[in-house]
Amino acid sequence: MRTVDDLADVRTGDKGDTLILAVFPRTDESYEVLTRAMTVEAVAAHFAPLVTGEVRRTDMPLVSGLVFELPGVLGGGVTGSPVLDGHGKCLSYHLLSMTVPEQI
């Protein structure tokens, strides 16, 4: 079974308590696969129950990227969260562990 990590790299950012994940597939084929597999619903389910609002996805075809905004995941943000990783940097690894179906 393959994962996002097999096909892409991920960078993380934050805005308040919203986690922002940018996914950069390594090949054009991987971009097509991940565009189909990484739906808003699939990514929201992967981060459940941390998500507190509507997950958004922005496709960036000119740079072969996908950007996800996941509200509430950071539990209050850098200054308001009791968790060790208020910026959510470690959560990029969680997204890399998401499975990608072989056939989509």
Side-chain angles (χ1 to χ4, degrees):
M1 180 165 289
R2 64 185 172 174
T3 64
V4 172
D5 192 30
D6 296 321
L7 305 172
D9 297 304
V10 177
R11 298 288 297 165
T12 307
D14 63 282
K15 189 68 172 174
D17 70 347
T18 298
L19 175 65
I20 301 167
L21 295 163
V23 180
F24 296 105
R26 295 184 194 103
T27 66
D28 291 341
E29 179 184 354
S30 295
Y31 177 71
E32 295 302 322
V33 168
L34 293 175
T35 298
R36 290 189 302 272
M38 298 185 78
T39 64
V40 167
E41 296 79 14
V43 172
H46 189 69
F47 281 90
L50 300 175
V51 177
T52 62
E54 182 180 340
V55 173
R56 291 181 41 196
R57 180 177 108 172
T58 302
D59 293 3
M60 302 182 70
L62 293 178
V63 294
S64 298
L66 304 168
V67 176
F68 293 90
E69 297 174 46
L70 295 95
V73 172
L74 298 178
V78 176
T79 59
S81 176
V83 300
L84 183 60
D85 183 18
H87 289 283
K89 299 302 181 186
C90 294
L91 293 172
S92 63
Y93 292 99
H94 181 60
L95 185 62
L96 288 170
S97 73
M98 181 178 163
T99 59
V100 177
E102 292 295 329
Q103 300 293 323
I104 323 179

